[in-house]
Amino acid sequence: MDTSDTSHPRTRALRADRTPERGRPREFDVDRVIEAAARVFWEHGYHATPVDVLCEATGVFRGSMYRTFGDKHGLLIAAFDRYAEGAVARLKERLSADVPPAEALRGALLHYTKVSGNLLERHGCFITNAATELLPSDEALRPHIESTLQRIATQFSLAIARGQQAGQFDRSLDAEAVGRFLLCIVQGMRVLGKVDMNEMALASIVDMAMRALT
């Protein structure tokens, strides 16, 4: 086939694809772009982030971004999923530490007090920020947020079950209900950290939560 034939549809498409981004390679590291976009959304929020700012932060042209992610909102969902996957994995690792279950749970909760106590400088939690900024109206993002929060609650429930089996937590407690309770605790600490509640005050909440489990 003679690719010099400009009337051929594929030839016209290739030219159209190159024209807006002449001088810049079309190829880019998708993972790097998602990570860079996540930082921008995390720092500024979704609505306050123009597409041009995302293009500058990621080094990708608008056309390439739209072809890969569909639109700005598609990039947000990809960034949210990446952040959420890491957050759940890190929580699972802390709760599964090679120490008694109660100690592992306390350590995981105290980690949230350290992070939340510094939220004034760290822009909050991406998961919490997305939920408060975009729900209930964002039906496309809703299942991603709900699934992430459920996964966090499930990790707490599993930790409670391990503690009950070890005789460290009250066996009469519903592990699933306690998981939701602890989810509320950590999300609440994320919000409280944004209004200048210090780590010591947040740690007292962890103490109360731990006493409620025995």
Side-chain angles (χ1 to χ4, degrees):
M1 178 178 66
D2 182 5
T3 56
S4 64
D5 179 5
T6 58
S7 67
H8 192 278
R10 176 171 173 77
T11 303
R12 291 199 303 271
L14 287 171
R15 285 191 171 186
D17 194 40
R18 291 193 188 104
T19 300
E21 300 183 10
R22 184 164 298 175
R24 296 282 294 273
R26 290 177 54 221
E27 296 78 11
F28 56 86
D29 185 331
V30 173
D31 289 339
R32 185 190 62 79
V33 168
I34 292 173
E35 289 172 3
R39 286 193 296 272
V40 175
F41 286 132
W42 182 29
E43 291 174 7
H44 303 290
Y46 175 71
H47 292 301
T49 301
V51 173
D52 289 345
V53 170
L54 288 170
C55 292
E56 181 178 354
T58 60
V60 175
F61 273 93
R62 183 185 298 247
S64 291
M65 185 179 295
Y66 284 178
R67 280 192 296 274
T68 303
F69 301 103
D71 55 16
K72 172 186 168 182
H73 195 266
L75 179 55
L76 169 71
I77 290 177
F80 178 89
D81 286 346
R82 176 65 56 82
Y83 179 95
E85 195 66 33
V88 174
R90 289 188 293 273
L91 174 61
K92 181 178 180 180
E93 182 178 0
R94 293 186 187 100
L95 292 173
S96 302
D98 189 20
V99 295
E103 185 178 338
L105 176 61
R106 181 178 177 81
L109 294 175
L110 287 175
H111 170 77
Y112 284 103
T113 70
K114 293 181 174 65
V115 173
S116 299
N118 293 321
L119 285 186
L120 288 177
E121 291 77 32
R122 298 191 58 193
H123 315 291
C125 167
F126 193 179
I127 299 169
T128 309
N129 291 352
T132 55
E133 179 187 7
L134 298 170
L135 294 185
S137 61
D138 193 328
E139 291 302 324
L141 186 60
R142 174 187 294 278
H144 297 262
I145 294 175
E146 290 179 346
S147 173
T148 298
L149 294 176
Q150 180 57 53
R151 291 172 66 193
I152 292 172
T154 296
Q155 290 303 319
F156 282 130
S157 296
L158 293 172
I160 294 302
R162 289 193 293 270
Q164 289 173 322
Q165 292 172 0
Q168 294 186 305
F169 298 142
D170 184 349
R171 290 178 181 270
S172 69
L173 294 173
D174 182 329
E176 186 175 348
V178 176
R180 292 191 295 269
F181 165 72
L182 294 174
L183 171 66
C184 289
I185 292 290
V186 297
Q187 290 301 309
M189 288 195 295
R190 296 291 207 176
V191 175
L192 290 174
K194 298 185 74 170
V195 294
D196 201 20
M197 183 169 286
N198 63 39
E199 183 180 336
M200 184 178 297
L202 294 173
S204 69
I205 297 173
V206 173
D207 292 336
M208 293 181 68
M210 295 300 297
R211 286 198 296 271
L213 302 179
T214 58

mmCIF file of all heavy atoms in Angstrom, residues 66-112:
data_model
loop_
_atom_site.group_PDB
_atom_site.id
_atom_site.type_symbol
_atom_site.label_atom_id
_atom_site.label_comp_id
_atom_site.label_asym_id
_atom_site.label_seq_id
_atom_site.Cartn_x
_atom_site.Cartn_y
_atom_site.Cartn_z
ATOM 1 N N TYR A 66 -6.344 13.245 26.467
ATOM 2 C CA TYR A 66 -7.724 12.862 26.188
ATOM 3 C C TYR A 66 -7.798 11.516 25.484
ATOM 4 O O TYR A 66 -8.705 10.725 25.738
ATOM 5 C CB TYR A 66 -8.400 13.936 25.341
ATOM 6 C CG TYR A 66 -8.796 15.176 26.112
ATOM 7 C CD1 TYR A 66 -9.379 16.262 25.479
ATOM 8 C CD2 TYR A 66 -8.578 15.270 27.490
ATOM 9 C CE1 TYR A 66 -9.739 17.405 26.183
ATOM 10 C CE2 TYR A 66 -8.928 16.405 28.200
ATOM 11 C CZ TYR A 66 -9.506 17.460 27.536
ATOM 12 O OH TYR A 66 -9.859 18.598 28.248
ATOM 13 N N ARG A 67 -6.841 11.246 24.595
ATOM 14 C CA ARG A 67 -6.864 9.950 23.906
ATOM 15 C C ARG A 67 -6.625 8.798 24.881
ATOM 16 O O ARG A 67 -7.150 7.703 24.702
ATOM 17 C CB ARG A 67 -5.802 9.920 22.795
ATOM 18 C CG ARG A 67 -6.226 10.610 21.518
ATOM 19 C CD ARG A 67 -5.266 10.306 20.385
ATOM 20 N NE ARG A 67 -3.935 10.830 20.657
ATOM 21 C CZ ARG A 67 -3.551 12.065 20.388
ATOM 22 N NH1 ARG A 67 -4.413 12.926 19.881
ATOM 23 N NH2 ARG A 67 -2.333 12.465 20.650
ATOM 24 N N THR A 68 -5.818 9.047 25.894
ATOM 25 C CA THR A 68 -5.483 7.980 26.849
ATOM 26 C C THR A 68 -6.528 7.825 27.941
ATOM 27 O O THR A 68 -6.895 6.704 28.301
ATOM 28 C CB THR A 68 -4.109 8.262 27.483
ATOM 29 O OG1 THR A 68 -3.129 8.387 26.455
ATOM 30 C CG2 THR A 68 -3.710 7.131 28.435
ATOM 31 N N PHE A 69 -7.015 8.949 28.483
ATOM 32 C CA PHE A 69 -7.887 8.887 29.659
ATOM 33 C C PHE A 69 -9.328 9.309 29.371
ATOM 34 O O PHE A 69 -10.173 9.212 30.263
ATOM 35 C CB PHE A 69 -7.312 9.772 30.774
ATOM 36 C CG PHE A 69 -5.929 9.375 31.196
ATOM 37 C CD1 PHE A 69 -4.829 10.104 30.781
ATOM 38 C CD2 PHE A 69 -5.726 8.258 31.985
ATOM 39 C CE1 PHE A 69 -3.541 9.746 31.165
ATOM 40 C CE2 PHE A 69 -4.450 7.882 32.369
ATOM 41 C CZ PHE A 69 -3.349 8.628 31.957
ATOM 42 N N GLY A 70 -9.599 9.763 28.184
ATOM 43 C CA GLY A 70 -10.945 10.185 27.811
ATOM 44 C C GLY A 70 -11.174 11.661 28.049
ATOM 45 O O GLY A 70 -11.565 12.392 27.141
ATOM 46 N N ASP A 71 -10.900 12.130 29.249
ATOM 47 C CA ASP A 71 -11.042 13.542 29.594
ATOM 48 C C ASP A 71 -10.401 13.764 30.961
ATOM 49 O O ASP A 71 -9.797 12.845 31.540
ATOM 50 C CB ASP A 71 -12.515 13.983 29.586
ATOM 51 C CG ASP A 71 -13.400 13.122 30.488
ATOM 52 O OD1 ASP A 71 -12.851 12.392 31.345
ATOM 53 O OD2 ASP A 71 -14.631 13.189 30.338
ATOM 54 N N LYS A 72 -10.536 14.969 31.481
ATOM 55 C CA LYS A 72 -9.966 15.301 32.788
ATOM 56 C C LYS A 72 -10.533 14.389 33.875
ATOM 57 O O LYS A 72 -9.802 13.922 34.762
ATOM 58 C CB LYS A 72 -10.268 16.771 33.103
ATOM 59 C CG LYS A 72 -9.903 17.216 34.509
ATOM 60 C CD LYS A 72 -10.373 18.648 34.746
ATOM 61 C CE LYS A 72 -10.299 19.052 36.209
ATOM 62 N NZ LYS A 72 -10.808 20.418 36.444
ATOM 63 N N HIS A 73 -11.808 14.094 33.803
ATOM 64 C CA HIS A 73 -12.436 13.255 34.815
ATOM 65 C C HIS A 73 -11.919 11.824 34.748
ATOM 66 O O HIS A 73 -11.758 11.156 35.777
ATOM 67 C CB HIS A 73 -13.959 13.276 34.655
ATOM 68 C CG HIS A 73 -14.692 12.737 35.837
ATOM 69 N ND1 HIS A 73 -15.096 11.424 35.931
ATOM 70 C CD2 HIS A 73 -15.081 13.334 36.998
ATOM 71 C CE1 HIS A 73 -15.715 11.236 37.075
ATOM 72 N NE2 HIS A 73 -15.725 12.373 37.752
ATOM 73 N N GLY A 74 -11.648 11.339 33.540
ATOM 74 C CA GLY A 74 -11.072 10.008 33.395
ATOM 75 C C GLY A 74 -9.693 9.925 34.024
ATOM 76 O O GLY A 74 -9.337 8.903 34.633
ATOM 77 N N LEU A 75 -8.936 10.998 33.891
ATOM 78 C CA LEU A 75 -7.619 11.045 34.533
ATOM 79 C C LEU A 75 -7.771 11.083 36.052
ATOM 80 O O LEU A 75 -6.997 10.444 36.778
ATOM 81 C CB LEU A 75 -6.845 12.269 34.044
ATOM 82 C CG LEU A 75 -5.449 12.478 34.631
ATOM 83 C CD1 LEU A 75 -4.568 11.251 34.428
ATOM 84 C CD2 LEU A 75 -4.793 13.712 34.008
ATOM 85 N N LEU A 76 -8.774 11.800 36.541
ATOM 86 C CA LEU A 76 -9.029 11.821 37.983
ATOM 87 C C LEU A 76 -9.301 10.418 38.512
ATOM 88 O O LEU A 76 -8.754 10.014 39.534
ATOM 89 C CB LEU A 76 -10.232 12.717 38.301
ATOM 90 C CG LEU A 76 -10.757 12.617 39.734
ATOM 91 C CD1 LEU A 76 -9.784 13.250 40.718
ATOM 92 C CD2 LEU A 76 -12.135 13.241 39.863
ATOM 93 N N ILE A 77 -10.134 9.665 37.817
ATOM 94 C CA ILE A 77 -10.470 8.315 38.267
ATOM 95 C C ILE A 77 -9.225 7.431 38.282
ATOM 96 O O ILE A 77 -8.994 6.667 39.224
ATOM 97 C CB ILE A 77 -11.573 7.713 37.380
ATOM 98 C CG1 ILE A 77 -12.897 8.446 37.638
ATOM 99 C CG2 ILE A 77 -11.729 6.214 37.645
ATOM 100 C CD1 ILE A 77 -14.042 7.988 36.760
ATOM 101 N N ALA A 78 -8.397 7.541 37.239
ATOM 102 C CA ALA A 78 -7.156 6.758 37.200
ATOM 103 C C ALA A 78 -6.242 7.146 38.355
ATOM 104 O O ALA A 78 -5.630 6.287 39.004
ATOM 105 C CB ALA A 78 -6.450 6.961 35.862
ATOM 106 N N ALA A 79 -6.157 8.446 38.645
ATOM 107 C CA ALA A 79 -5.311 8.926 39.739
ATOM 108 C C ALA A 79 -5.862 8.473 41.091
ATOM 109 O O ALA A 79 -5.106 8.057 41.976
ATOM 110 C CB ALA A 79 -5.209 10.446 39.692
ATOM 111 N N PHE A 80 -7.172 8.536 41.244
ATOM 112 C CA PHE A 80 -7.795 8.103 42.494
ATOM 113 C C PHE A 80 -7.533 6.621 42.733
ATOM 114 O O PHE A 80 -7.164 6.217 43.838
ATOM 115 C CB PHE A 80 -9.302 8.367 42.461
ATOM 116 C CG PHE A 80 -10.016 7.903 43.701
ATOM 117 C CD1 PHE A 80 -10.159 8.746 44.792
ATOM 118 C CD2 PHE A 80 -10.522 6.608 43.797
ATOM 119 C CE1 PHE A 80 -10.803 8.310 45.950
ATOM 120 C CE2 PHE A 80 -11.150 6.163 44.944
ATOM 121 C CZ PHE A 80 -11.298 7.019 46.021
ATOM 122 N N ASP A 81 -7.730 5.809 41.704
ATOM 123 C CA ASP A 81 -7.522 4.366 41.845
ATOM 124 C C ASP A 81 -6.085 4.051 42.226
ATOM 125 O O ASP A 81 -5.828 3.155 43.040
ATOM 126 C CB ASP A 81 -7.898 3.648 40.554
ATOM 127 C CG ASP A 81 -9.404 3.568 40.348
ATOM 128 O OD1 ASP A 81 -10.157 3.819 41.304
ATOM 129 O OD2 ASP A 81 -9.829 3.265 39.215
ATOM 130 N N ARG A 82 -5.125 4.779 41.636
ATOM 131 C CA ARG A 82 -3.727 4.541 41.962
ATOM 132 C C ARG A 82 -3.451 4.890 43.428
ATOM 133 O O ARG A 82 -2.800 4.126 44.144
ATOM 134 C CB ARG A 82 -2.837 5.387 41.030
ATOM 135 C CG ARG A 82 -1.334 5.316 41.333
ATOM 136 C CD ARG A 82 -0.793 3.915 41.109
ATOM 137 N NE ARG A 82 -1.077 3.484 39.760
ATOM 138 C CZ ARG A 82 -0.336 3.822 38.692
ATOM 139 N NH1 ARG A 82 0.737 4.569 38.844
ATOM 140 N NH2 ARG A 82 -0.657 3.384 37.490
ATOM 141 N N TYR A 83 -3.931 6.023 43.855
ATOM 142 C CA TYR A 83 -3.737 6.444 45.249
ATOM 143 C C TYR A 83 -4.405 5.461 46.200
ATOM 144 O O TYR A 83 -3.830 5.046 47.214
ATOM 145 C CB TYR A 83 -4.307 7.848 45.437
ATOM 146 C CG TYR A 83 -4.192 8.403 46.833
ATOM 147 C CD1 TYR A 83 -3.129 9.230 47.194
ATOM 148 C CD2 TYR A 83 -5.156 8.114 47.798
ATOM 149 C CE1 TYR A 83 -3.021 9.749 48.479
ATOM 150 C CE2 TYR A 83 -5.054 8.625 49.090
ATOM 151 C CZ TYR A 83 -3.992 9.440 49.415
ATOM 152 O OH TYR A 83 -3.888 9.942 50.693
ATOM 153 N N ALA A 84 -5.646 5.079 45.882
ATOM 154 C CA ALA A 84 -6.409 4.191 46.754
ATOM 155 C C ALA A 84 -5.745 2.829 46.876
ATOM 156 O O ALA A 84 -5.698 2.247 47.967
ATOM 157 C CB ALA A 84 -7.832 4.047 46.222
ATOM 158 N N GLU A 85 -5.231 2.318 45.769
ATOM 159 C CA GLU A 85 -4.574 1.009 45.801
ATOM 160 C C GLU A 85 -3.395 1.028 46.763
ATOM 161 O O GLU A 85 -3.205 0.105 47.565
ATOM 162 C CB GLU A 85 -4.103 0.635 44.398
ATOM 163 C CG GLU A 85 -3.739 -0.822 44.229
ATOM 164 C CD GLU A 85 -4.932 -1.747 44.375
ATOM 165 O OE1 GLU A 85 -6.046 -1.357 43.993
ATOM 166 O OE2 GLU A 85 -4.735 -2.875 44.884
ATOM 167 N N GLY A 86 -2.620 2.083 46.705
ATOM 168 C CA GLY A 86 -1.478 2.200 47.615
ATOM 169 C C GLY A 86 -1.907 2.354 49.053
ATOM 170 O O GLY A 86 -1.308 1.769 49.962
ATOM 171 N N ALA A 87 -2.962 3.135 49.299
ATOM 172 C CA ALA A 87 -3.433 3.361 50.662
ATOM 173 C C ALA A 87 -3.926 2.066 51.300
ATOM 174 O O ALA A 87 -3.619 1.770 52.461
ATOM 175 C CB ALA A 87 -4.548 4.410 50.660
ATOM 176 N N VAL A 88 -4.682 1.282 50.544
ATOM 177 C CA VAL A 88 -5.201 0.020 51.077
ATOM 178 C C VAL A 88 -4.058 -0.968 51.321
ATOM 179 O O VAL A 88 -4.020 -1.658 52.345
ATOM 180 C CB VAL A 88 -6.254 -0.585 50.128
ATOM 181 C CG1 VAL A 88 -6.677 -1.977 50.607
ATOM 182 C CG2 VAL A 88 -7.475 0.326 50.025
ATOM 183 N N ALA A 89 -3.121 -1.020 50.392
ATOM 184 C CA ALA A 89 -1.987 -1.944 50.534
ATOM 185 C C ALA A 89 -1.146 -1.607 51.760
ATOM 186 O O ALA A 89 -0.713 -2.506 52.503
ATOM 187 C CB ALA A 89 -1.122 -1.917 49.276
ATOM 188 N N ARG A 90 -0.921 -0.321 52.004
ATOM 189 C CA ARG A 90 -0.119 0.078 53.165
ATOM 190 C C ARG A 90 -0.848 -0.231 54.472
ATOM 191 O O ARG A 90 -0.232 -0.660 55.453
ATOM 192 C CB ARG A 90 0.230 1.566 53.071
ATOM 193 C CG ARG A 90 1.254 1.874 51.980
ATOM 194 C CD ARG A 90 1.720 3.314 52.046
ATOM 195 N NE ARG A 90 0.658 4.248 51.708
ATOM 196 C CZ ARG A 90 0.365 4.646 50.469
ATOM 197 N NH1 ARG A 90 1.044 4.168 49.446
ATOM 198 N NH2 ARG A 90 -0.600 5.512 50.243
ATOM 199 N N LEU A 91 -2.167 -0.023 54.487
ATOM 200 C CA LEU A 91 -2.933 -0.356 55.687
ATOM 201 C C LEU A 91 -2.878 -1.855 55.953
ATOM 202 O O LEU A 91 -2.672 -2.288 57.100
ATOM 203 C CB LEU A 91 -4.385 0.092 55.520
ATOM 204 C CG LEU A 91 -5.350 -0.322 56.637
ATOM 205 C CD1 LEU A 91 -4.912 0.260 57.977
ATOM 206 C CD2 LEU A 91 -6.774 0.085 56.300
ATOM 207 N N LYS A 92 -3.059 -2.656 54.921
ATOM 208 C CA LYS A 92 -3.007 -4.115 55.070
ATOM 209 C C LYS A 92 -1.658 -4.550 55.625
ATOM 210 O O LYS A 92 -1.587 -5.422 56.514
ATOM 211 C CB LYS A 92 -3.254 -4.777 53.722
ATOM 212 C CG LYS A 92 -3.246 -6.300 53.772
ATOM 213 C CD LYS A 92 -3.543 -6.890 52.406
ATOM 214 C CE LYS A 92 -3.545 -8.415 52.454
ATOM 215 N NZ LYS A 92 -3.845 -8.991 51.112
ATOM 216 N N GLU A 93 -0.594 -3.931 55.150
ATOM 217 C CA GLU A 93 0.746 -4.279 55.628
ATOM 218 C C GLU A 93 0.902 -3.942 57.111
ATOM 219 O O GLU A 93 1.451 -4.738 57.875
ATOM 220 C CB GLU A 93 1.786 -3.530 54.802
ATOM 221 C CG GLU A 93 3.217 -3.856 55.177
ATOM 222 C CD GLU A 93 4.237 -3.131 54.310
ATOM 223 O OE1 GLU A 93 3.820 -2.370 53.413
ATOM 224 O OE2 GLU A 93 5.449 -3.323 54.544
ATOM 225 N N ARG A 94 0.414 -2.783 57.532
ATOM 226 C CA ARG A 94 0.536 -2.404 58.943
ATOM 227 C C ARG A 94 -0.293 -3.330 59.837
ATOM 228 O O ARG A 94 0.153 -3.711 60.919
ATOM 229 C CB ARG A 94 0.093 -0.948 59.129
ATOM 230 C CG ARG A 94 1.022 0.060 58.468
ATOM 231 C CD ARG A 94 0.633 1.490 58.809
ATOM 232 N NE ARG A 94 1.449 2.413 58.033
ATOM 233 C CZ ARG A 94 1.043 3.019 56.922
ATOM 234 N NH1 ARG A 94 -0.193 2.819 56.472
ATOM 235 N NH2 ARG A 94 1.851 3.822 56.262
ATOM 236 N N LEU A 95 -1.488 -3.664 59.392
ATOM 237 C CA LEU A 95 -2.357 -4.511 60.205
ATOM 238 C C LEU A 95 -1.868 -5.953 60.261
ATOM 239 O O LEU A 95 -2.231 -6.692 61.186
ATOM 240 C CB LEU A 95 -3.791 -4.469 59.655
ATOM 241 C CG LEU A 95 -4.524 -3.131 59.806
ATOM 242 C CD1 LEU A 95 -5.859 -3.180 59.067
ATOM 243 C CD2 LEU A 95 -4.738 -2.789 61.280
ATOM 244 N N SER A 96 -1.059 -6.343 59.289
ATOM 245 C CA SER A 96 -0.546 -7.713 59.235
ATOM 246 C C SER A 96 0.867 -7.822 59.803
ATOM 247 O O SER A 96 1.538 -8.841 59.611
ATOM 248 C CB SER A 96 -0.549 -8.214 57.781
ATOM 249 O OG SER A 96 -1.844 -8.153 57.233
ATOM 250 N N ALA A 97 1.321 -6.789 60.474
ATOM 251 C CA ALA A 97 2.680 -6.789 61.033
ATOM 252 C C ALA A 97 2.863 -7.976 61.973
ATOM 253 O O ALA A 97 1.909 -8.473 62.578
ATOM 254 C CB ALA A 97 2.940 -5.482 61.775
ATOM 255 N N ASP A 98 4.100 -8.428 62.099
ATOM 256 C CA ASP A 98 4.414 -9.610 62.901
ATOM 257 C C ASP A 98 4.475 -9.262 64.388
ATOM 258 O O ASP A 98 5.519 -9.383 65.041
ATOM 259 C CB ASP A 98 5.742 -10.205 62.416
ATOM 260 C CG ASP A 98 6.021 -11.566 63.056
ATOM 261 O OD1 ASP A 98 5.054 -12.190 63.547
ATOM 262 O OD2 ASP A 98 7.188 -11.985 63.062
ATOM 263 N N VAL A 99 3.359 -8.785 64.887
ATOM 264 C CA VAL A 99 3.207 -8.450 66.301
ATOM 265 C C VAL A 99 1.796 -8.887 66.702
ATOM 266 O O VAL A 99 0.974 -9.212 65.839
ATOM 267 C CB VAL A 99 3.387 -6.928 66.556
ATOM 268 C CG1 VAL A 99 4.810 -6.495 66.247
ATOM 269 C CG2 VAL A 99 2.382 -6.123 65.730
ATOM 270 N N PRO A 100 1.457 -8.907 67.988
ATOM 271 C CA PRO A 100 0.092 -9.252 68.389
ATOM 272 C C PRO A 100 -0.936 -8.361 67.684
ATOM 273 O O PRO A 100 -0.661 -7.173 67.434
ATOM 274 C CB PRO A 100 0.099 -9.018 69.901
ATOM 275 C CG PRO A 100 1.525 -9.251 70.289
ATOM 276 C CD PRO A 100 2.345 -8.705 69.157
ATOM 277 N N PRO A 101 -2.112 -8.910 67.329
ATOM 278 C CA PRO A 101 -3.108 -8.153 66.555
ATOM 279 C C PRO A 101 -3.484 -6.802 67.156
ATOM 280 O O PRO A 101 -3.634 -5.817 66.423
ATOM 281 C CB PRO A 101 -4.310 -9.098 66.517
ATOM 282 C CG PRO A 101 -3.721 -10.459 66.652
ATOM 283 C CD PRO A 101 -2.539 -10.303 67.563
ATOM 284 N N ALA A 102 -3.629 -6.737 68.478
ATOM 285 C CA ALA A 102 -4.001 -5.467 69.113
ATOM 286 C C ALA A 102 -2.900 -4.430 68.923
ATOM 287 O O ALA A 102 -3.176 -3.247 68.675
ATOM 288 C CB ALA A 102 -4.286 -5.669 70.600
ATOM 289 N N GLU A 103 -1.660 -4.869 69.008
ATOM 290 C CA GLU A 103 -0.533 -3.951 68.816
ATOM 291 C C GLU A 103 -0.472 -3.473 67.372
ATOM 292 O O GLU A 103 -0.199 -2.294 67.095
ATOM 293 C CB GLU A 103 0.775 -4.646 69.190
ATOM 294 C CG GLU A 103 1.989 -3.739 69.142
ATOM 295 C CD GLU A 103 3.265 -4.451 69.568
ATOM 296 O OE1 GLU A 103 3.169 -5.483 70.273
ATOM 297 O OE2 GLU A 103 4.359 -3.975 69.198
ATOM 298 N N ALA A 104 -0.733 -4.379 66.433
ATOM 299 C CA ALA A 104 -0.734 -4.012 65.022
ATOM 300 C C ALA A 104 -1.827 -2.996 64.729
ATOM 301 O O ALA A 104 -1.618 -2.017 64.004
ATOM 302 C CB ALA A 104 -0.904 -5.254 64.148
ATOM 303 N N LEU A 105 -3.015 -3.233 65.277
ATOM 304 C CA LEU A 105 -4.127 -2.308 65.047
ATOM 305 C C LEU A 105 -3.825 -0.942 65.651
ATOM 306 O O LEU A 105 -4.036 0.089 65.006
ATOM 307 C CB LEU A 105 -5.410 -2.871 65.661
ATOM 308 C CG LEU A 105 -6.632 -1.955 65.567
ATOM 309 C CD1 LEU A 105 -6.987 -1.649 64.120
ATOM 310 C CD2 LEU A 105 -7.829 -2.569 66.293
ATOM 311 N N ARG A 106 -3.325 -0.937 66.873
ATOM 312 C CA ARG A 106 -2.992 0.346 67.507
ATOM 313 C C ARG A 106 -1.938 1.101 66.696
ATOM 314 O O ARG A 106 -2.050 2.311 66.488
ATOM 315 C CB ARG A 106 -2.503 0.104 68.931
ATOM 316 C CG ARG A 106 -2.160 1.398 69.671
ATOM 317 C CD ARG A 106 -1.710 1.133 71.099
ATOM 318 N NE ARG A 106 -1.318 2.373 71.735
ATOM 319 C CZ ARG A 106 -2.168 3.242 72.258
ATOM 320 N NH1 ARG A 106 -3.460 2.999 72.219
ATOM 321 N NH2 ARG A 106 -1.736 4.362 72.807
ATOM 322 N N GLY A 107 -0.932 0.371 66.214
ATOM 323 C CA GLY A 107 0.098 1.013 65.408
ATOM 324 C C GLY A 107 -0.469 1.602 64.132
ATOM 325 O O GLY A 107 -0.079 2.712 63.709
ATOM 326 N N ALA A 108 -1.391 0.879 63.490
ATOM 327 C CA ALA A 108 -2.003 1.381 62.262
ATOM 328 C C ALA A 108 -2.823 2.637 62.538
ATOM 329 O O ALA A 108 -2.767 3.613 61.777
ATOM 330 C CB ALA A 108 -2.876 0.305 61.631
ATOM 331 N N LEU A 109 -3.585 2.622 63.614
ATOM 332 C CA LEU A 109 -4.390 3.792 63.956
ATOM 333 C C LEU A 109 -3.525 4.989 64.336
ATOM 334 O O LEU A 109 -3.824 6.130 63.972
ATOM 335 C CB LEU A 109 -5.355 3.455 65.097
ATOM 336 C CG LEU A 109 -6.447 2.433 64.765
ATOM 337 C CD1 LEU A 109 -7.251 2.090 66.019
ATOM 338 C CD2 LEU A 109 -7.361 2.938 63.656
ATOM 339 N N LEU A 110 -2.440 4.726 65.065
ATOM 340 C CA LEU A 110 -1.541 5.824 65.436
ATOM 341 C C LEU A 110 -0.846 6.415 64.219
ATOM 342 O O LEU A 110 -0.510 7.608 64.200
ATOM 343 C CB LEU A 110 -0.510 5.341 66.460
ATOM 344 C CG LEU A 110 -1.055 5.105 67.867
ATOM 345 C CD1 LEU A 110 0.028 4.520 68.764
ATOM 346 C CD2 LEU A 110 -1.605 6.409 68.459
ATOM 347 N N HIS A 111 -0.652 5.598 63.189
ATOM 348 C CA HIS A 111 -0.101 6.143 61.946
ATOM 349 C C HIS A 111 -1.021 7.225 61.397
ATOM 350 O O HIS A 111 -0.563 8.269 60.919
ATOM 351 C CB HIS A 111 0.078 5.035 60.915
ATOM 352 C CG HIS A 111 0.403 5.550 59.545
ATOM 353 N ND1 HIS A 111 1.661 5.996 59.190
ATOM 354 C CD2 HIS A 111 -0.383 5.730 58.446
ATOM 355 C CE1 HIS A 111 1.651 6.410 57.943
ATOM 356 N NE2 HIS A 111 0.423 6.258 57.466
ATOM 357 N N TYR A 112 -2.330 6.975 61.466
ATOM 358 C CA TYR A 112 -3.278 7.982 60.980
ATOM 359 C C TYR A 112 -3.209 9.255 61.814
ATOM 360 O O TYR A 112 -3.430 10.352 61.299
ATOM 361 C CB TYR A 112 -4.705 7.422 60.999
ATOM 362 C CG TYR A 112 -5.008 6.462 59.880
ATOM 363 C CD1 TYR A 112 -5.053 5.088 60.112
ATOM 364 C CD2 TYR A 112 -5.252 6.920 58.589
ATOM 365 C CE1 TYR A 112 -5.333 4.206 59.089
ATOM 366 C CE2 TYR A 112 -5.538 6.042 57.561
ATOM 367 C CZ TYR A 112 -5.574 4.682 57.816
ATOM 368 O OH TYR A 112 -5.846 3.810 56.788
#
